[in-house]
């Protein structure tokens, strides 16, 4: 299995000539190789995690690929066929087994609504929480995609999150809202904590990947 990071929150996981696409949003450039996509996961309805253009591109290249997302996405993307998933659900699509966790987006501000959000665990080893600090309790996580920067993110909370998950390998995602200096600073904070817990932190830029 290979994980490739794209801009902001977008990830692609490749296995057995099949691809799983996660959260291609408004900060993400067009992604090639969509004909291999067997499923898409959208963690929540905010535009930096999905766009109609990205879903249209997937549908054109891989018309049978289901899109898994919480109910809020189904309402926001009413022109697209969305398979609604909730925390506790498990689905199998192509070679991938997906388990969903969490349920709610982290609070940005009391004046803004809190939307549905699901974290996704892929094949029991790769975890991405979307815009949340939802910990996959009872799971031995190999690779964690940890958010680095957002209006809702305080770096101390992000440090506590990676400490709670205790994955063997961690890389930063959700980072296009940060300057280069800010991104490197937040990476440094997570790296320090991950390494203190015996893990490895990887600084992945768009297009970089790792093998699982």
């Amino acid at each position: 299995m290979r994980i490739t990071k794209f801009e902001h929150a977008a990830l692609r996981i490749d296995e057995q000539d099949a691809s799983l696409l996660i959260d291609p949003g408004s900060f993400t450039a067009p992604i090639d190789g969509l004909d291999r996509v067997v499923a898409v996961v959208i963690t929540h309805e905010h535009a930096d995690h999905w766009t109609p253009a990205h879903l249209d591109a997937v549908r054109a290249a891989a018309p049978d690929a289901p899109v898994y997302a919480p109910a809020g996405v189904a309402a926001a993307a009413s022109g697209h066929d969305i398979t609604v998933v909730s925390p506790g659900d498990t689905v199998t699509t192509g070679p991938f087994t997906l388990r969903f966790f969490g349920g709610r987006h982290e609070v940005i501000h009391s004046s803004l609504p809190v939307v549905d959000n699901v974290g996704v665990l892929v094949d029991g080893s790769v975890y991405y929480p979307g815009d949340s600090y939802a910990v996959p309790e009872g799971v031995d996580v190999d690779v964690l995609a940890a958010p680095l920067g957002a209006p809702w993110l305080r770096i101390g909370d992000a440090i506590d999150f990676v400490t709670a998950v205790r994955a063997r390998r961690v890389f930063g995602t959700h980072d296009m809202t940060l300057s280069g200096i800010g991104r490197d600073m937040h990476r440094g904070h997570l790296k320090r904590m991950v390494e203190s817990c015996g893990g490895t932190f990887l600084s992945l830029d768009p297009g970089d990947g790792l093998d699982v």
Side-chain angles (χ1 to χ4, degrees):
M1 181 191 302
R2 183 164 180 82
I3 306 167
T4 302
K5 173 183 164 47
F6 293 93
E7 292 88 358
H8 200 51
L11 307 173
R12 189 183 68 212
I13 301 178
D14 296 311
E15 185 176 3
Q16 300 176 16
D17 296 323
S19 297
L20 172 70
L21 187 61
I22 302 174
D23 279 1
S26 57
F27 302 153
T28 306
I31 296 172
D32 294 330
L34 295 180
D35 57 307
R36 304 191 334 155
V37 170
V38 297
V40 179
V41 171
I42 299 171
T43 60
H44 65 281
E45 65 198 70
H46 291 160
D48 57 327
H49 291 256
W50 80 280
T51 67
H54 279 297
L55 290 189
D56 288 344
V58 172
R59 184 64 63 217
D64 296 327
V67 179
Y68 298 105
V73 175
S78 57
H80 296 84
D81 185 13
I82 306 294
T83 300
V84 174
V85 290
S86 301
D89 289 348
T90 299
V91 299
T92 299
T93 180
F96 304 104
T97 298
L98 312 176
R99 290 177 61 192
F100 297 95
F101 294 84
R104 303 296 279 171
H105 191 288
E106 291 298 318
V107 173
I108 299 172
H109 187 262
S110 59
S111 65
L112 298 173
V114 180
V115 303
D116 295 334
N117 179 94
V118 290
V120 60
L121 179 73
V122 182
D123 289 352
S125 64
V126 178
Y127 183 61
Y128 171 59
D131 282 12
S132 80
Y133 298 125
V135 175
E137 299 290 351
V139 176
D140 185 17
V141 176
D142 182 12
V143 178
L144 171 66
L148 280 179
W152 50 268
L153 187 146
R154 189 177 71 90
I155 193 60
D157 295 331
I159 291 170
D160 289 342
F161 172 64
V162 299
T163 304
V165 176
R166 297 186 74 89
R168 284 183 284 277
R169 290 178 284 180
V170 178
F171 67 92
T173 185
H174 207 283
D175 52 6
M176 289 292 283
T177 59
L178 298 173
S179 67
I181 292 172
R183 180 201 59 200
D184 291 344
M185 180 178 66
H186 284 205
R187 283 176 173 175
H189 283 301
L190 295 193
K191 176 181 172 67
R192 173 179 55 83
M193 185 54 65
V194 169
E195 291 181 348
S196 74
C197 295
T200 300
F201 184 85
L202 303 159
S203 295
L204 301 185
D205 293 321
D208 291 344
L210 71 151
D211 295 316
V212 179

